[in-house]
Amino acid sequence: TDLGNGDLGNGDTGNGDTEPGNEDSGNKGTDVEQQSSSTANTNTISGFDPKMPSVFSAKKQTAKKLPLTFTRKRVTYQQIKSTQKAVKVVAVHDKARKVKIPAYITWKGTRYKVVEIGKNAFLGCKKLSKVTIGKQVTVIGAKAFYGCNKLRSVIFQGKKLNKIQKKAFAKTHAKIRFKMPRKKQKKYIRLLKKSRYAKVSAHLQKKCGLY
């Protein structure tokens, strides 16, 4: 509204004092010419080829809203869907030594559930030695902890974990131990085996603490 009725439309340029000889009759012709020229240019841009989308419509089609991403305590979270108050871990500072993934995280007054550890989230964190996985996590992505060769302690706090993707814990410390709820031992060991962490369940059972 300000752009149409402000200084530009009714200011000094359009309705101010004019020098002798430059009356309205002289300016009207110029205005008409400018308007018709502007209209012609607009028609040329938007209607040059009816079969081809205009420049402006193409920009609208390609523009995408980026997902909400924020960092707390060296851990970076990303909203999974704009319509859901749920996030996943997508990155961790490479100097982090001990990380605790909470069940919920608050950002700018909004509380989000942490439901996933994303693909490659901890990839190559050479100093990481201990990680606690929150109660709401249901998925651990492929190679999430790949190459964390000092990682010796993994604690599963929750009972909702349903998927551990390929090589999530590959190339971690040889003496790594997993701590998990007693009622979920069989399920979690099966998930670890499917992720190609180990071939023999007995090998995993020796590495599991229960609570």
Side-chain angles (χ1 to χ4, degrees):
T1 302
D2 293 341
L3 184 61
N5 298 324
D7 293 339
L8 185 60
N10 298 323
D12 295 341
T13 303
N15 297 324
D17 296 337
T18 58
E19 295 180 0
N22 293 331
E23 298 294 335
D24 291 342
S25 59
N27 292 331
K28 284 181 180 178
T30 304
D31 291 343
V32 171
E33 290 175 1
Q34 289 176 349
Q35 289 175 3
S36 60
S37 175
S38 175
T39 304
N41 290 336
T42 303
N43 292 335
T44 302
I45 293 172
S46 62
F48 179 75
D49 187 347
K51 296 182 180 179
M52 295 295 291
S54 68
V55 175
F56 303 106
S57 63
K59 287 184 177 180
K60 289 180 180 179
Q61 290 174 0
T62 57
K64 292 183 179 180
K65 186 177 179 181
L66 296 175
L68 172 68
T69 304
F70 58 91
T71 301
R72 293 289 299 273
K73 296 182 179 180
R74 292 188 169 186
V75 180
T76 301
Y77 303 87
Q78 186 178 90
Q79 190 175 12
I80 295 175
K81 290 183 179 180
S82 59
T83 56
Q84 297 179 356
K85 292 182 179 180
V87 296
K88 63 180 178 180
V89 177
V90 293
V92 180
H93 195 285
D94 59 1
K95 293 184 178 180
R97 296 177 184 273
K98 295 181 180 181
V99 175
K100 184 175 182 179
I101 306 300
Y104 295 90
I105 189 81
T106 300
W107 178 254
K108 292 186 177 181
T110 303
R111 192 170 183 244
Y112 298 93
K113 185 189 296 186
V114 185
V115 298
E116 183 179 340
I117 297 175
K119 179 180 178 181
N120 299 332
F122 289 78
L123 179 67
C125 289
K126 302 295 184 182
K127 296 185 177 182
L128 184 70
S129 61
K130 180 179 179 179
V131 63
T132 302
I133 298 172
K135 292 182 178 181
Q136 300 294 339
V137 172
T138 60
V139 178
I140 298 176
K143 293 188 175 182
F145 298 92
Y146 187 90
C148 299
N149 51 19
K150 290 187 178 180
L151 181 59
R152 299 186 60 166
S153 175
V154 179
I155 300 173
F156 298 109
Q157 286 189 324
K159 300 177 181 180
K160 297 183 178 182
L161 187 62
N162 292 319
K163 186 182 293 185
I164 300 176
Q165 295 180 342
K166 190 181 295 185
K167 297 184 179 180
F169 292 97
K171 295 192 177 183
T172 50
H173 198 283
K175 294 183 178 180
I176 189 172
R177 288 184 61 84
F178 298 91
K179 190 174 181 180
M180 60 192 67
R182 186 179 298 276
K183 292 182 179 180
K184 294 295 180 179
Q185 182 188 19
K186 290 183 179 180
K187 179 181 178 178
Y188 287 4
I189 287 176
R190 185 172 69 252
L191 293 176
L192 285 165
K193 285 177 64 180
K194 284 185 177 181
S195 72
R196 299 185 183 179
Y197 169 73
K199 295 181 180 180
V200 184
S201 61
H203 169 71
L204 278 170
Q205 287 174 346
K206 290 178 182 179
K207 293 176 177 286
C208 291
L210 304 175
Y211 62 89

